Amino acid sequence: MTFRTAGASGAARSARSSPAGDGRAVGGAGRGTAGPLIVTEDLTLLDDLLRLCAAAGAEPEVHHTVPEHRASWTEAPLVLVGDDAAARCRGATRRPGVILVGRDRGGLADPAAGPAGGDPEVWRRAVEIGADCVLRLPDAESWLVDRIADAAEGAGRQALTVGVIGGRGGAGASTLACALALAGARTGRRTLLVDGDPLGGGLDVLLGGERAEGRRWPDFVASKGRVGGGALEESLPSVRGLRVLSWDRGDSVLVPADAMRAVLAAARRRGGIVVVDLPRRIDAAVSEALAQLDLGLLVVPGELRAVAAAHRVATHAGAVLRDLRAVVRGPYASGLDDQWVADTLGLPLAGELPHDPDLLAVLDSGAPPGGEANGPLGRFCAAFWERALAAEGSS
C-alpha cells in the first residue's frame, strides 16, 4: 500500500468525522496486508501511524475508542492505542499485542518494569489497558514498523535455515544445497533456496529453471531495512516445488550486506525451510548470511588437500556461525574416513555424503541433483531433514 502524507491527513480527518469511528480500513479495499487496529483521535499521531503501517505493507483499521464489535479488538493482529485514547480503552478485553503509543521522547519499555524514568502516569495508563509496552515516536519508529509487519504477516516460528559451504572448490556444495532444498520441499514444508554465490553459475540452472519467470538477485541489491516475506516469496521463480532466489545472466556479482540481511530475514520470516548456498570467501554479505543460519554444513572431500583448505574456511565461517558441521564426501584417500576428517577439522560430523557414480550422468541429462527421492543423494537429504526437523521440534 502506498500512502502519501497529505492522504494520511485526509484519512485521519475522515475517520474523525465518524463519532464512534467506522472501522474502515484506511487506504482502500484490496491493498496491503490486514494490519493493526489503531485507536486514537490525535490526528498528528494518526498520520504517523498510518505512515508506519504503509511502510510495513499493512492496512489498518481506525477507531476512536474500543470498537463496538468485540472481534475488531480481540482478533486484530496488533492494537495500537494512542495515549490520548488510553482512558477510553479501560475495561477492554485483556489480550496480548496491545501497545500504548505517544510522541516525542522515550523509546520502548515494559510497563511491568514500573515507572522508573519517564512519566509515572503513562505507565499507569499502560498497565490499566494491559499494554505489552510503551512507545514514543519518532524514536521507536523502526521497531514499530517491524512489529506491525510481523503481526500482519502472522509471523511465528522462523524457518529452519541451513547454509552449505564448500571446503574447497568443486566440493559439491551447490549440488548438496539443491538436493537439500528438493528434499525439504518433499516434506511438504514451504521451502526456499537462496543462491548466495554470485560466481557459482546459478542454482536455477542446476535445477533446470533458468527460464522460469521471477525476480533474481539484481532486483534486490538496493534492498535495505525490511523486505516483506510474502512479497519476496511470491516474486521469486517457482522451480520443482520450491522458490529459488538466484542470479540472472548479467554481470552483477555483488550483493551489499544490507540487501543480504534484509532478503534473508524476509525469507526466514514465514517459516518452513530455507537453504542457502554460500561461497568460500567470507565478505560482509556472506557474514550477514552466516549470522542468520541455524546450521552450517561444510562439504569436505575425503582427501588431505581438501581437509587443509576446509580448515581455513571453517576458521573464518566458525567465527560468525554458531553451529558448523562437516559433511564428508568419498571416495577417501588412503587412511582417511569421515570421522577422521571431522575430528581433524574440529567439527561435529553431520554425515557422510555417499559417493554416487551416476551423479554426473544425471546432471548431464538435465535432471536436478537429488531429484530422485530413492537415489543416494535423495536418501541422504531425507535422513538429514528427519534429524534436523525433529531436533527443531524438540527445542
Side-chain angles (χ1 to χ4, degrees), residues 16-33:
R16 195 169 190 267
S17 68
S18 176
D22 60 8
R24 73 189 65 187
V26 176
R31 291 188 287 172
T33 302

Side-chain angles (χ1 to χ4, degrees), residues 55-348:
E59 195 164 315
E61 182 177 330
V62 179
H63 287 264
H64 304 149
T65 187
V66 177
E68 293 182 4
H69 298 291
R70 184 171 178 269
S72 292
W73 175 275
T74 59
E75 297 180 11
L78 193 68
V79 177
L80 306 178
V81 178
D83 55 9
D84 67 294
R88 298 193 296 275
C89 294
R90 290 193 200 117
T93 302
R94 293 290 174 123
R95 51 152 292 169
V98 176
I99 298 176
L100 183 63
V101 188
R103 288 190 51 78
D104 296 325
R105 288 183 321 215
L108 164 66
D110 179 353
D119 183 356
E121 183 64 19
V122 172
W123 301 115
R124 183 185 63 78
R125 292 197 296 267
V127 171
E128 284 178 347
I129 66 173
D132 293 342
C133 58
V134 175
L135 299 182
R136 285 290 178 264
L137 304 181
D139 292 356
E141 285 191 357
S142 178
W143 185 91
L144 186 54
V145 168
D146 282 350
R147 184 70 184 271
I148 292 169
D150 281 343
E153 288 188 344
R157 189 164 194 161
Q158 291 193 324
L160 176 58
T161 307
V162 176
V164 187
I165 312 172
R168 65 152 169 81
S174 296
T175 296
L176 179 58
C178 287
L180 282 172
L182 291 170
R186 286 195 290 267
T187 69
R189 290 168 173 81
R190 165 193 173 268
T191 303
L192 198 150
L193 175 62
V194 177
D195 187 349
D197 186 355
L199 301 178
L203 296 188
D204 55 347
V205 176
L206 194 54
L207 290 170
E210 63 271 20
R211 296 183 180 179
E213 294 185 0
R215 301 177 74 182
R216 265 72 174 180
W217 262 121
D219 297 311
F220 296 99
V221 294
S223 299
K224 294 182 180 179
R226 184 185 179 99
V227 175
L232 170 70
E233 184 172 355
E234 291 169 8
S235 73
L236 298 179
S238 178
V239 182
R240 301 183 185 274
L242 54 99
R243 297 283 181 168
V244 181
L245 175 55
S246 190
W247 302 87
D248 63 9
R249 311 284 81 87
D251 296 330
S252 177
V253 294
L254 177 65
V255 176
D258 286 344
M260 181 65 77
R261 181 190 309 117
V263 168
L264 267 188
R268 301 181 64 211
R269 199 175 296 126
R270 303 190 79 198
I273 291 170
V274 174
V275 179
V276 188
D277 180 33
L278 293 170
R280 290 181 295 131
R281 55 177 181 78
I282 311 297
D283 59 14
V286 174
S287 293
E288 288 290 349
L290 290 170
Q292 295 199 48
L293 299 181
D294 296 302
L295 169 64
L297 300 177
L298 183 64
V299 183
V300 188
E303 56 189 49
L304 287 174
R305 288 188 64 199
V307 174
H311 187 273
R312 290 191 290 271
V313 177
T315 298
H316 289 94
V320 181
L321 179 57
R322 300 182 301 273
D323 188 354
L324 180 63
R325 307 179 191 181
V327 172
V328 185
R329 176 172 66 81
Y332 298 98
S334 177
L336 275 61
D337 61 22
D338 54 347
Q339 193 62 59
W340 184 93
V341 172
D343 291 345
T344 300
L345 294 171
L347 298 177

